Amino acid sequence: MKKYRNSIGRKVGLAILGTTIVAVVLSMSLNIASFFHSFRQATLQKAASLTQVLGTSVAPALDFNDPDSATEALQSLALVNNSVGATIFTADGQVFAGFGKQADELPTRDTSTIEEFNNYRIIQEIRSGDELLGYILLDGCYSDQLDWFFQNLATSGLILFSVLTFCFLTTNYIRKKLTSPIGQLTATVRDISNSKDYTRRVSYRSDDEIGYLVTEFNSMLGKIEKRDNWLNNHREMLENIVAQRTKQLRSKQAELEKKNKLLVQQIHERRTAEMIRDEVERINRHDLKSSLNLVIGYPELILNSDEELTPNQRKYVKRIASAGYRMLDMIQFHLDMFKMEQGIYRLKTMRIDLIDLMTSLEEEMALLLNQSGVKLSIMLDGKEIEGMEELHLTGEGMLLRTMFRNLIKNAVEASNEEDTVTIAIKSGPPVSVTVKNTLAVPEEVRERFFDKYVTLGKEDGTGLGTYSAKLIAETHKAEISMHTAETSGTEVTTSFVDESSAA
């Protein structure tokens, strides 16, 4: 078995031995101290009695002034082992007689005992009746106390050795009884930790705490063994699942790589198509501008010629010229739209009369409205306009005209015959314009209503109307939103939150 530096057995042994040693030493120390004190008190009592006897013996010598008789009486102290000497003083403190170690002066005139570690002094008054004749000073020592102390110390040491020997043997026996099952438990735990063999058990049975610990430990090993078997089976199952999933993942990864290649090819083809479209649009804009020069130029030549024109002819020629200029503006707008997409367009702002803009658009849409049979209603703060109202807004007139033209045209084209398209203007703040028609936007394009090239059900639709409207609104720092429902129709609202920002 492995020897542990701080094993439980060693701790138990040290605890028992330490407690025993402390108890024995403390008991012996108290016993020696008690006997030591009793010995000194008995010696002092004997010396005090001897001093009283001597005081009575030398009283006549003091009374008759006979120092020799007093000295002869003091010589009896030679028979007392603890006596060192004695001195007799007269009442006025003069040395009268002495024996052995004599004092030069009287320390005190009171009856008292002066005690040191190895010496003592007893002072006793000498009287004859009520008359104070003098004092006797007895000097003594504890000459026997050291012999008595060492004798008791040797006896105590022998007792201590015997007790420690018995305690050591007893402790060793108890330690083995206590630590043997714990050692078995420790060895089993170490073997299981090294071998991972949870079938091992500790063979110890007892009704004490260690027996309960061993029983619970064996029960825990059984549970761990059962759980370990379950984990092994589960691990094998997981490994099989992982292998299957890995195979599936590799198959899907190969399929995904194939799709990615196809997607990259489609993106490349789409970019190529967009580049071709942009180039075609650029060429078309150039060609259209060249052709529009004739459309715009000839009406002006006709109007400025000397030939007489009827009012209707002059009206129709002006409309042709106006349509030509609008087409030129639309061609120019495609270039402006590109700049707005890049965020580099600079607004050419001015004060715009929103009511006048809407009425001019109504006149411009007259042909479309007649052909589709749709009515147009312009409202200002909930009231039909009369044409004399004014509501000014800061912005670029051509862009705002294009934005509202696209929104109104989309609303008219998305309406049924006899329907009414409403333009609801609110003077605010903020100023807002809502274009409303009675039909809902198809579900397949609702989420992409303002996206580029999104159109549905129009043979000549380009999908740029709402997209350009959103660009123009954002360029003017305005908010544009769409709400549609089958019951209420479609509303496109443009809110100019901060007119000064557009400037």
Side-chain angles (χ1 to χ4, degrees):
M1 181 185 296
K2 179 180 177 181
K3 298 296 183 180
Y4 294 95
R5 184 177 180 182
N6 294 316
S7 64
I8 296 178
R10 181 173 296 179
K11 292 179 180 179
V12 171
L14 290 176
I16 296 175
L17 286 176
T19 304
T20 304
I21 291 172
V22 170
V24 172
V25 171
L26 183 61
S27 175
M28 294 178 63
S29 298
L30 293 175
N31 189 32
I32 291 174
S34 176
F35 279 109
F36 189 72
H37 178 71
S38 300
F39 174 81
R40 292 172 67 91
Q41 291 299 317
T43 301
L44 288 176
Q45 289 179 1
K46 291 179 182 179
S49 300
L50 180 61
T51 303
Q52 291 179 357
V53 172
L54 289 176
T56 303
S57 299
V58 299
L62 279 172
D63 194 15
F64 292 101
N65 193 17
D66 186 3
D68 294 334
S69 297
T71 301
E72 184 178 355
L74 293 176
Q75 289 178 351
S76 62
L77 292 174
L79 300 176
V80 181
N81 294 331
N82 294 330
S83 296
V84 176
T87 305
I88 296 175
F89 294 90
T90 60
D92 56 0
Q94 299 296 321
V95 177
F96 180 73
F99 173 77
K101 179 182 178 181
Q102 299 182 17
D104 296 332
E105 60 182 5
L106 186 65
T108 178
R109 296 178 182 272
D110 297 328
T111 300
S112 62
T113 300
I114 302 173
E115 186 178 5
E116 296 178 358
F117 177 73
N118 201 36
N119 299 301
Y120 61 86
R121 279 185 169 185
I122 298 177
I123 301 172
Q124 181 68 41
E125 294 180 348
I126 301 175
R127 291 182 176 274
S128 177
D130 294 333
E131 181 182 1
L132 178 62
L133 300 178
Y135 301 90
I136 181 171
L137 173 63
L138 177 65
D139 287 314
C141 66
Y142 299 108
S143 58
D144 297 337
Q145 71 175 354
L146 292 178
D147 296 336
W148 180 87
F149 175 75
F150 286 119
Q151 182 180 359
N152 280 273
L153 185 62
T155 303
S156 300
L158 181 61
I159 294 173
L160 179 62
F161 177 77
S162 301
V163 171
L164 288 179
T165 302
F166 176 76
C167 289
F168 178 77
L169 296 176
T170 304
T171 300
N172 190 39
Y173 175 77
I174 295 174
R175 179 180 61 81
K176 290 181 178 179
K177 282 291 185 180
L178 289 176
T179 59
S180 178
I182 297 177
Q184 295 180 23
L185 181 62
T186 304
T188 304
V189 170
R190 184 175 61 251
D191 293 341
I192 293 174
S193 177
N194 293 331
S195 63
K196 307 299 180 183
D197 181 13
Y198 298 107
T199 60
R200 294 283 304 276
R201 298 294 184 270
V202 180
S203 57
Y204 178 80
R205 297 291 182 272
S206 177
D207 294 334
D208 56 7
E209 291 83 354
I210 298 177
Y212 178 78
L213 177 63
V214 170
T215 302
E216 291 299 318
F217 178 73
N218 290 334
S219 175
M220 182 182 66
L221 287 177
K223 293 178 181 179
I224 293 175
E225 181 184 3
K226 182 178 179 181
R227 186 174 300 175
D228 191 57
N229 293 332
W230 181 84
L231 288 175
N232 289 332
N233 295 332
H234 193 65
R235 182 183 61 189
E236 293 177 358
M237 181 183 68
L238 288 177
E239 288 177 352
N240 293 331
I241 294 175
V242 169
Q244 294 177 1
R245 295 290 174 85
T246 303
K247 184 178 180 181
Q248 295 175 0
L249 182 60
R250 289 176 178 174
S251 176
K252 291 183 178 180
Q253 186 176 5
E255 183 179 356
L256 182 61
E257 290 178 355
K258 183 178 180 180
K259 291 182 178 180
N260 286 339
K261 291 180 181 179
L262 180 60
L263 180 60
V264 170
Q265 183 180 356
Q266 292 176 351
I267 292 174
H268 177 70
E269 292 176 354
R270 183 170 181 178
R271 286 180 178 176
T272 303
E274 289 180 354
M275 290 175 62
I276 294 173
R277 175 186 289 183
D278 293 340
E279 184 64 21
V280 170
E281 288 180 354
R282 186 185 65 80
I283 295 173
N284 289 337
R285 285 196 297 269
H286 180 271
D287 295 341
L288 285 172
K289 283 183 178 181
S290 299
S291 301
L292 279 175
N293 288 331
L294 297 176
V295 176
I296 296 172
Y298 278 115
E300 291 183 356
L301 290 175
I302 294 173
L303 292 174
N304 295 328
S305 66
D306 296 333
E307 294 183 6
E308 292 291 335
L309 298 175
T310 64
N312 286 335
Q313 289 175 340
R314 185 172 292 277
K315 177 180 178 182
Y316 295 149
V317 170
K318 285 183 179 180
R319 284 189 177 180
I320 293 171
S322 178
Y325 280 113
R326 285 198 301 272
M327 290 182 65
L328 185 61
D329 290 342
M330 291 175 64
I331 295 170
Q332 182 62 33
F333 175 69
H334 282 280
L335 178 60
D336 295 338
M337 188 169 65
F338 172 76
K339 293 181 180 180
M340 283 186 281
E341 288 176 336
Q342 302 300 317
I344 59 177
Y345 185 82
R346 295 182 62 86
L347 284 172
K348 297 177 281 294
T349 59
M350 61 180 66
R351 297 291 288 173
I352 308 287
D353 187 354
L354 197 56
I355 304 300
D356 182 65
L357 177 63
M358 294 303 173
T359 54
S360 64
L361 285 174
E362 182 181 16
E363 182 180 351
E364 182 181 330
M365 296 284 178
L367 180 60
L368 177 62
L369 292 172
N370 290 332
Q371 291 177 350
S372 60
V374 178
K375 299 178 182 179
L376 185 64
S377 175
I378 304 176
M379 310 288 291
L380 176 61
D381 293 331
K383 296 180 180 179
E384 188 81 25
I385 65 169
E386 298 178 358
M388 304 300 293
E389 298 86 353
E390 291 185 359
L391 179 60
H392 289 91
L393 186 69
T394 302
E396 185 170 338
M398 189 274 290
L399 291 182
L400 292 177
R401 188 179 189 89
T402 302
M403 177 179 72
F404 289 120
R405 181 193 298 119
N406 290 334
L407 295 179
I408 296 171
K409 182 181 177 184
N410 285 345
V412 172
E413 291 176 346
S415 300
N416 294 325
E417 189 175 356
E418 301 299 330
D419 285 348
T420 299
V421 174
T422 303
I423 303 174
I425 304 173
K426 292 184 180 179
S427 57
V431 176
S432 65
V433 179
T434 300
V435 180
K436 179 179 179 181
N437 62 292
T438 57
L439 298 182
V441 176
E443 292 186 2
E444 52 266 39
V445 296
R446 288 180 184 179
E447 298 296 328
R448 301 178 292 122
F449 184 76
F450 290 106
D451 291 351
K452 195 174 184 180
Y453 303 130
V454 175
T455 183
L456 183 67
K458 295 182 181 180
E459 294 181 358
D460 58 345
T462 61
L464 294 176
T466 55
Y467 176 72
S468 62
K470 181 181 179 183
L471 278 180
I472 295 171
E474 292 176 348
T475 304
H476 283 79
K477 303 294 189 296
E479 294 180 357
I480 187 168
S481 60
M482 184 274 293
H483 176 74
T484 185
E486 299 295 338
T487 56
S488 59
T490 302
E491 295 182 358
V492 179
T493 301
T494 306
S495 179
F496 296 88
V497 179
D498 185 3
E499 296 182 25
S500 63
S501 64

